Amino acid sequence: MRTLKFLAGTLAFVVLLGGVGCSFDTTEYSKVIIEPRDHRFFVRAHGEIISTKSDSVQLGNVRGEFTIAWMISEYSEVKAGDVVVRFDNADMVQVRDRSLLQLERQQTSIDNFINSSFGERIQLGHEDIRVDGEIDIAAIYTLLDDDMFSQNELIEQVGNLEYLRQLGEFVQWQIETHDRRSDAEVIRLEANLQNTEQQVESQQEILDNMEIRSPSDGTFIYGSSWWGEKYAPGKTVWGRSQVGQIPVRGMIQTKLYVLEVDAVGVEVGQEVVMRMHSALDQQITGKIVDISHIAAPLDNVDPTKYFTLFVDINDIDADLMRVGSTIDAEIITGELEGAYLVPQQAVFIDKDQAYVYVIENNGDIGEREVTLGHRSPTLIEVVDGLETGEAVSLVAPEDPPPT
């Protein structure tokens, strides 16, 4: 209905006249007759009600990506502790079970190695005792009277004693190196075991986060990915992602989107008139408090760019205005009384100077500099340079006007 009124007003405003002669050709020009009029400039927008304060519902501080298996219906009323999201944990359960099996095998390897090493150490100890005993016996023989043994036998006993002493040192070296090697290997095996234990703990922590519970009472609202797509079953989520929120009652504002090409004259502080799709009979008002610095697409498919606006609502009705409610809006960019307005197409710019083509009573058409005021995607206010009753061409002449 508003669109029809706007078109009707535009048709009444723009007067198309034929047969207007010019000094340099016979072209007929569409024109508008300048008359003072009252007008409200506005820009259309759409968006939704968002929360300004809420309790976050997010995946724990775990690494990796996870697939949502189930989510409670959006806008469901939940209590603190209720499960609101579950993730697919089948793959992680298998990974954790394989790690537990590896942990058992590593512990068995450590036990077997310690037992084997202990047996080797006992054998080396026995060998050390045996060699020490033989050294003692050989030393006794070397102290006996020379008359009891021949010279060759004494030499043989001395040589045997020296051999046994060397053998004893070798056995001591074997014991020391065995202990060092054994200790080093146990340290290595235990380090591997500890690493696997940490993996199991990390995997178990992930499994413990496969269910997310509501942090408070309220209405559960789905979260969105960084490109604006809402999470849903089957979607992938990374660690610490906010999969939802529980808004604090009454802490809301409006988030609006305005087409980049339509955002002419939109500024912070301007009044906004809104209507929710769920309550079209009720008008909501507010003021713009923030505008995005650049226009950007709303998703990664449609390249159309929008400016994002945030609007504080004047009178909040917590029962009526729910987070997620969709909204249509009109942003009031200017209200004029007795203003001269021309269509956007009738104004030309050259080196920051605006001008229009004025059709004289005798049919001549000339270029005239003007000063501009408020603008919209369709109309521009001319604050200086035109007079009531003058005719302005909606198109440029085919040939340049005489100077």
Side-chain angles (χ1 to χ4, degrees):
M1 190 65 182
R2 293 186 179 182
T3 302
L4 292 175
K5 290 181 177 179
F6 175 79
L7 291 175
T10 303
L11 290 173
F13 176 74
V14 178
V15 181
L16 305 179
L17 297 180
V20 179
C22 299
S23 61
F24 50 89
D25 63 24
T26 59
T27 303
E28 295 180 357
Y29 292 98
S30 300
K31 64 183 179 181
V32 59
I33 304 301
I34 301 301
E35 296 290 346
R37 58 176 295 191
D38 299 339
H39 183 74
R40 169 184 280 191
F41 283 94
F42 66 89
V43 175
R44 298 187 186 278
H46 71 279
E48 62 180 342
I49 293 178
I50 63 172
S51 173
T52 57
K53 184 177 181 181
S54 62
D55 294 327
S56 176
V57 179
Q58 66 181 45
L59 185 61
N61 187 21
V62 292
R63 295 182 179 180
E65 59 180 22
F66 309 94
T67 301
I68 298 174
W70 171 86
M71 296 179 76
I72 194 171
S73 298
E74 191 171 22
Y75 308 118
S76 296
E77 294 297 324
V78 297
K79 299 292 185 182
D82 288 351
V83 176
V84 293
V85 181
R86 286 194 180 97
F87 296 94
D88 183 359
N89 65 354
D91 292 341
M92 185 53 62
V93 168
Q94 292 182 359
V95 172
R96 191 275 314 274
D97 290 346
R98 286 197 295 267
S99 296
L100 288 173
L101 181 59
Q102 182 182 3
L103 196 64
E104 292 180 2
R105 289 174 176 172
Q106 289 177 328
Q107 186 61 61
T108 300
S109 296
I110 292 175
D111 295 339
N112 291 339
F113 176 80
I114 291 176
N115 292 334
S116 174
S117 178
F118 183 70
E120 292 177 3
R121 181 63 177 80
I122 290 177
Q123 289 181 354
L124 288 172
H126 289 164
E127 180 69 8
D128 185 48
I129 293 173
R130 184 187 67 79
V131 172
D132 285 344
E134 291 185 4
I135 289 174
D136 292 340
I137 294 172
I140 292 174
Y141 276 103
T142 59
L143 298 176
L144 296 177
D145 191 347
D146 294 346
D147 296 336
M148 296 181 61
F149 298 96
S150 66
Q151 189 68 27
N152 289 335
E153 289 177 324
L154 291 174
I155 292 173
E156 182 180 352
Q157 290 297 328
V158 171
N160 185 46
L161 177 61
E162 183 61 27
Y163 165 75
L164 290 173
R165 285 175 176 169
Q166 292 294 329
L167 179 60
E169 292 178 359
F170 175 70
V171 172
Q172 286 295 323
W173 175 82
Q174 283 185 308
I175 292 174
E176 292 175 0
T177 55
H178 172 274
D179 291 344
R180 288 199 296 270
R181 284 187 291 106
S182 178
D183 291 343
E185 182 64 13
V186 169
I187 291 173
R188 185 186 71 82
L189 292 173
E190 288 181 343
N192 290 339
L193 180 70
Q194 184 178 9
N195 183 58
T196 304
E197 287 176 341
Q198 292 175 349
Q199 290 179 357
V200 171
E201 290 177 0
S202 176
Q203 292 156 4
Q204 188 59 52
E205 181 183 2
I206 292 174
L207 288 173
D208 292 341
N209 281 276
M210 291 296 96
E211 282 189 351
I212 302 181
R213 298 179 180 274
S214 174
S216 58
D217 297 350
T219 304
F220 180 68
I221 307 297
Y222 287 1
S224 301
S225 61
W226 64 271
W227 58 82
E229 185 179 11
K230 278 197 173 186
Y231 289 120
K235 299 293 184 181
T236 299
V237 178
W238 292 86
R240 302 197 71 177
S241 295
Q242 181 174 315
V243 296
Q245 58 178 320
I246 308 294
V248 175
R249 181 179 170 82
M251 302 295 290
I252 57 174
Q253 66 177 182
T254 302
K255 184 178 183 180
L256 297 178
Y257 303 102
V258 178
L259 279 168
E260 181 181 26
V261 296
D262 289 345
V264 179
V266 176
E267 299 177 354
V268 170
Q270 290 174 340
E271 181 184 352
V272 182
V273 178
M274 301 167 282
R275 293 185 187 275
M276 294 193 305
H277 291 173
S278 58
L280 292 174
D281 59 327
Q282 298 200 37
Q283 179 175 288
I284 305 170
T285 60
K287 286 190 176 181
I288 300 174
V289 294
D290 193 19
I291 303 175
S292 62
H293 297 294
I294 59 173
L298 298 184
D299 55 50
N300 57 350
V301 177
D302 186 350
T304 306
K305 293 183 178 181
Y306 295 81
F307 282 99
T308 303
L309 286 61
F310 295 92
V311 178
D312 280 349
I313 301 171
N314 291 334
D315 298 307
I316 295 176
D317 184 341
D319 293 325
L320 175 67
M321 304 172 189
R322 309 294 293 275
V323 173
S325 297
T326 52
I327 278 184
D328 286 331
E330 292 181 353
I331 301 164
I332 311 304
T333 58
E335 293 188 89
L336 307 178
E337 294 182 0
Y340 292 154
L341 300 175
V342 296
Q344 184 87 248
Q345 69 192 79
V347 178
F348 303 87
I349 305 293
D350 182 21
K351 298 180 181 179
D352 297 328
Q353 176 59 56
Y355 61 92
V356 297
Y357 290 106
V358 177
I359 303 173
E360 304 294 346
N361 292 332
N362 61 1
D364 292 345
I365 184 168
E367 180 182 300
R368 185 180 301 176
E369 294 183 352
V370 293
T371 302
L372 305 181
H374 285 83
R375 303 186 185 192
S376 78
T378 57
L379 295 175
I380 298 180
E381 178 193 12
V382 176
V383 297
D384 187 40
L386 293 176
E387 299 293 337
T388 299
E390 290 187 307
V392 173
S393 174
L394 297 181
V395 295
E398 294 180 0
D399 297 321
T403 57

